[in-house]
Structures are given as structure tokens and as C-alpha cells.
Amino acid sequence: MSRSTEHTVKAFDGEIVELRGLISEMGGRAEEAISGAMRALTSHDLETAARVVQDDKRIDALEDQVDRLAVQVIALRAPMADDLREVVAALKIAGVVERIGDYAKNIAKRVPEIGSGRQIEAISILPAMARAASSMVHDVLDAFAARDWEAAVEVCERDREVDDFYNSIFRTLVTFMMENPQTISQAAHLLFVAKNLERIGDHATNVAEMVYFAARGTYMAERERGPDGVRS
Amino acid sequence: MSRSTEHTVKAFDGEIVELRGLISEMGGRAEEAISGAMRALTSHDLETAARVVQDDKRIDALEDQVDRLAVQVIALRAPMADDLREVVAALKIAGVVERIGDYAKNIAKRVPEIGSGRQIEAISILPAMARAASSMVHDVLDAFAARDWEAAVEVCERDREVDDFYNSIFRTLVTFMMENPQTISQAAHLLFVAKNLERIGDHATNVAEMVYFAARGTYMAERERGPDGVRS
């Protein structure tokens, strides 16, 4: 290997590490946003809700950084095959994680409308659903960092659990609304909260498919992804 | 200009035209999906609903084509400045249009759950809201094809109208649910239909921001985007 080639390879490796680091930071902030939004919701904490909304700007700024770096890497290093797939995956995964942050922000924005909502029983199931969705986000970004396609397949399988939560909460809320028409407005906001969490699970599944493609160069088979249990 | 440079420039121009053509085709299919889903909804036409769901696969396939072509153009032609921004915009816009298609598919999937729903008055306002959102998608993709940042700004301003529709439909549906608890399940699905249309308007706004950035190299100012009227 010539000196200059070696130099280029090292620079490229450094940039890939930097890309992974930025995405890992985005993921950490998205997880924090989900847990912050749920804490704000269950304890009707308007201050925490406002902070989650405010902090979303940092996730957006990180996405811009990923975009710029990924484009620079493609344009200057002209990576091939596996490397190119990984850089493009980083570009697309950053877009998905940014949207996961938006769903958390959306939950936080509903906190003032929902009020204490303690009387609505579904609210006590939402935190467990949020943990299930958030752990999918965590694990799929670990799978990206480790180029571990088997871990990515495993994350997809867990989307079923989040969908089951959603279907159960949907039915519980609709029943509650029928019996307590005066709470319909608050309960409708909780329906959207549940839907946002369900979408976070879907987005983690999308990232898993990108991790799989980046690592293997083929698309994840339907069989591996499991049946489409998404209520959508 | 040397012969080989000229050749490269021409090949690049051809690829940009191809990229724009693919995105325009995606946009046309997304618009069809929205109008098909709304037709299926208002006339309770399960066959049309199933076709919209099925046809979404073509939008996904077009996105894959855009991704591959855009990456190839960046890697082989190493475009700079304006050209690079346009190719990256194409890559990101394709992702957004794919999601717009998903929202239409999601509306179509709800048709069987909603039933005829004729008794729910909000259903008669939804088609006008869908037309407002769909025309934003149409016009912003025209703006991309023409690199017309002023048209992109104009599309952003229209998002306010879609948000107003959403807020009005939300209130109408909640009131209807309170007065007719037996329709809550159907009305809850209509809430999600309205939310999907509102999200389509938001996504058209996101595309407008990308068109603006691609054409001008700076971000659209808050002032130009208008106040954040998104109920989210």
C-alpha cells in the first residue's frame, strides 16, 4: 500500500468513526427525549415537557452535521461497496432518528392538553410501551455501530410487542371514551401519544432494515422481519 | 472545455434530469395515492383502498432507484456546490415523498374500520383538506423541478390552511364523539386520517425547505416560513 493510499484509508476510517459517533449521540438524545416526554406526561410536568421540545433542535443540528460529513466523505473519498453502503446508511439513519426525536417532541407538546389525566387508566400502560419502543431504538443503533445484522433482525422481531401494546391501548381508550365522554378530548391526545410510540417502533424497524442492508448488501427477507403486525 | 470534460458534464446533466424525472414520478404516484385513499374513504370502496395499499410498493421501489442513482452520481461525478446540493436534495426529497405515500396508504388501510361513516359530518370536510395537502405536494415538486425557491416559500405559507383544517376537524370530531359515543371507534380512525393529511402538509413544507436550500445554499428564514402553525 502506498503512503498516500494508506493516509486516505486512515482518514476514511476516522470519518466513519466520527459518523457513527454522531449517530450514536443522536440516538442517545432521542432516547432521552422519549423518557423525558413520558416523565412529563405521567407527572404532568410542563417544565420538562418544554425542555424536551427545546432540546429537539439539537437533534436536528446533529442531523445536519451527519449530512454534511456523509456527503463530504462520499465526494472526497469515493468509497466503494460496503463502505459506500455504510455512509449512505448513516445519511438515512440520521433522517430516521431525527423523526424519532420529532415523535417524542410531539408527545411533550401534548402534555398541557392532556392535563393530569390520572383518571384515564391507559396512561399507566404508556410508560411500559415507551420503554419497549425506546429500547428498540437503543439496540438498533448499537447494531449499526457494531455492523451486527443479526442484532438488527432481533430488533425487528420486537416490533410485534410494541404493536400489541398499541392495539390494546387503542381499545382501552376507545372503551374509556365511550364510558366517559367528558374525557374524550384528553383521551384523543393519549391516542396520538400511543400512535407516536407505535411509530417509533416502526422507525426502529426501518433502521434495522438499513443496518441489515449496509452490512449484507441484500434486503432483509420478509421471513426474517416477521409478519407485518403494524396496525396502521 | 476539453472533450472529456464536456462529456462528463453532459452525462451529469442527463443524470440530474433522470433524478428529477424519478422524483416527479414518485410525486405523481403519491398524489394519486392521496386521491385514491380519499375516494375509497368517502365512498367506502374497499377495492380502491386495497389498490392504494398495493401500489405503495411502487413508490418504495422508485425511492430505491433514486437512492442508487444519486449515490452513483455523487461517487462517479463528484459534483460540487449547487450540483451536489441538488443531488443530496433529491436523495432526501425521495425519502419524504415515500413517507407521504405511506400516509396515504395508512388512510386507505383505515377504510374497512371506518365503514360508511356517513353519519359523521367531519367526513365531508376531509376531501377538501386532502386537496389542499395534495396540491402542496404537487406544487413543491414542481418547484424542485424548476429550482424555483420563491414557489417553495409560497408552498410553506399554505401549510397554515391545512393546519386550520386539522384543528377544525379535530374539534368537530371530539364534539361528535361526545354526542355519539357509539361512533367513537370510527371517529377515532377519522382523527388519524385528519392527522395523516396534516402530516402530508408538514412533509410538503419540509420538501420546500430542501428545495430552498438546494437552490440558494442557505436555510429558509423563520420569517419566510411563516409562524409555526402546526398543531402537533
Side-chain angles (χ1 to χ4, degrees):
Chain A
M1 189 183 280
S2 77
R3 221 172 198 163
S4 78
T5 315
E6 196 182 330
H7 177 78
T8 304
V9 169
K10 279 201 178 141
F12 176 76
D13 286 347
E15 285 156 344
I16 288 281
V17 168
E18 194 182 339
L19 269 178
R20 285 193 190 139
L22 287 169
I23 286 179
S24 166
E25 190 181 341
M26 285 185 81
R29 286 189 188 277
E31 285 177 64
E32 268 174 39
I34 298 168
S35 64
M38 295 311 294
R39 213 164 48 240
L41 177 70
T42 49
S43 54
H44 191 54
D45 174 351
L46 299 183
E47 206 173 302
T48 299
R51 205 177 53 244
V52 170
V53 172
Q54 186 58 33
D55 286 353
D56 187 58
K57 292 203 176 79
R58 293 183 175 188
I59 299 181
D60 296 350
L62 283 166
E63 188 198 2
D64 285 344
Q65 262 184 278
V66 169
D67 285 359
R68 273 197 298 270
L69 182 58
V71 167
Q72 186 186 317
V73 169
I74 296 173
L76 298 184
R77 312 278 172 221
M80 305 296 281
D82 289 20
D83 291 333
L84 179 58
R85 282 204 310 275
E86 182 161 7
V87 177
V88 173
L91 198 64
K92 304 196 85 167
I93 290 172
V96 179
V97 178
E98 187 272 328
R99 287 202 297 289
I100 291 175
D102 280 350
Y103 285 112
K105 177 175 76 171
N106 187 282
I107 293 172
K109 279 189 177 175
R110 292 181 190 279
V111 170
E113 310 276 346
I114 292 169
S116 92
R118 275 186 221 288
Q119 76 283 21
I120 305 175
E121 60 201 25
I123 210 169
S124 62
I125 316 172
L126 284 167
M129 180 180 183
R131 280 192 297 275
S134 187
S135 74
M136 285 177 69
V137 175
H138 181 92
D139 294 348
V140 81
L141 293 178
D142 277 359
F144 173 66
R147 293 188 116 160
D148 182 345
W149 64 267
E150 287 171 311
V153 171
E154 192 265 338
V155 168
C156 287
E157 286 159 2
R158 278 152 56 194
D159 192 37
R160 172 74 75 90
E161 186 198 349
V162 175
D163 290 340
D164 288 345
F165 265 119
Y166 176 72
N167 291 329
S168 162
I169 290 173
F170 182 91
R171 279 193 298 269
T172 307
L173 276 171
V174 165
T175 309
F176 192 87
M177 288 157 110
M178 288 179 179
E179 291 164 0
N180 305 274
Q182 76 287 1
T183 66
I184 282 178
S185 177
Q186 290 159 279
H189 283 291
L190 287 177
L191 265 185
F192 283 120
V193 170
K195 188 70 199 174
N196 285 336
L197 294 173
E198 189 261 340
R199 294 293 295 155
I200 288 172
D202 285 351
H203 280 62
T205 303
N206 292 346
V207 172
E209 288 167 7
M210 293 170 193
V211 171
Y212 187 98
F213 182 76
R216 307 203 75 190
T218 58
Y219 291 102
M220 198 183 287
E222 290 289 337
R223 187 180 51 73
E224 284 175 294
R225 235 181 9 225
D228 183 4
V230 180
R231 181 187 189 112
S232 50
Chain B
M1 191 183 277
S2 77
R3 223 175 194 160
S4 76
T5 315
E6 197 183 330
H7 177 77
T8 304
V9 169
K10 279 201 179 142
F12 176 75
D13 287 348
E15 285 156 344
I16 288 281
V17 168
E18 194 182 338
L19 269 178
R20 284 193 191 139
L22 286 169
I23 285 179
S24 167
E25 190 182 341
M26 285 185 80
R29 287 189 186 277
E31 283 177 65
E32 269 174 37
I34 297 168
S35 64
M38 294 312 295
R39 215 165 45 243
L41 177 71
T42 50
S43 54
H44 191 54
D45 175 350
L46 299 184
E47 208 173 301
T48 299
R51 205 176 53 244
V52 170
V53 173
Q54 186 59 32
D55 285 353
D56 186 59
K57 292 203 177 80
R58 293 185 176 185
I59 299 181
D60 296 350
L62 282 166
E63 188 199 2
D64 286 343
Q65 261 184 277
V66 170
D67 285 359
R68 272 197 298 270
L69 183 56
V71 167
Q72 186 187 316
V73 169
I74 297 173
L76 298 184
R77 311 278 173 223
M80 306 297 280
D82 289 20
D83 291 333
L84 179 57
R85 283 203 310 274
E86 182 161 6
V87 177
V88 173
L91 197 64
K92 303 196 86 165
I93 290 172
V96 178
V97 178
E98 187 271 327
R99 287 201 297 288
I100 290 174
D102 281 350
Y103 285 113
K105 177 175 78 171
N106 186 281
I107 292 172
K109 279 191 178 175
R110 292 181 190 281
V111 170
E113 310 275 347
I114 292 169
S116 92
R118 275 185 222 288
Q119 76 283 21
I120 305 176
E121 59 199 27
I123 209 168
S124 62
I125 316 173
L126 284 167
M129 181 181 182
R131 280 192 297 275
S134 188
S135 73
M136 285 177 69
V137 175
H138 181 91
D139 295 346
V140 81
L141 292 179
D142 277 359
F144 173 66
R147 290 187 119 158
D148 182 346
W149 64 267
E150 286 171 311
V153 171
E154 192 265 337
V155 168
C156 287
E157 285 159 4
R158 278 151 57 195
D159 193 37
R160 171 75 73 92
E161 187 198 349
V162 175
D163 290 341
D164 287 346
F165 264 119
Y166 175 72
N167 291 328
S168 162
I169 291 172
F170 182 91
R171 280 192 298 268
T172 308
L173 277 171
V174 166
T175 308
F176 192 87
M177 288 157 109
M178 287 179 180
E179 289 163 1
N180 306 273
Q182 77 286 1
T183 66
I184 282 178
S185 177
Q186 290 158 280
H189 282 292
L190 287 177
L191 266 186
F192 283 119
V193 170
K195 188 73 200 171
N196 285 336
L197 294 173
E198 189 261 341
R199 294 295 294 154
I200 288 172
D202 285 351
H203 280 62
T205 303
N206 292 346
V207 172
E209 288 167 6
M210 292 170 194
V211 170
Y212 187 97
F213 182 75
R216 306 202 75 190
T218 57
Y219 291 102
M220 198 183 286
E222 290 289 336
R223 190 179 49 73
E224 286 175 295
R225 236 182 6 226
D228 182 5
V230 180
R231 179 181 190 120
S232 50

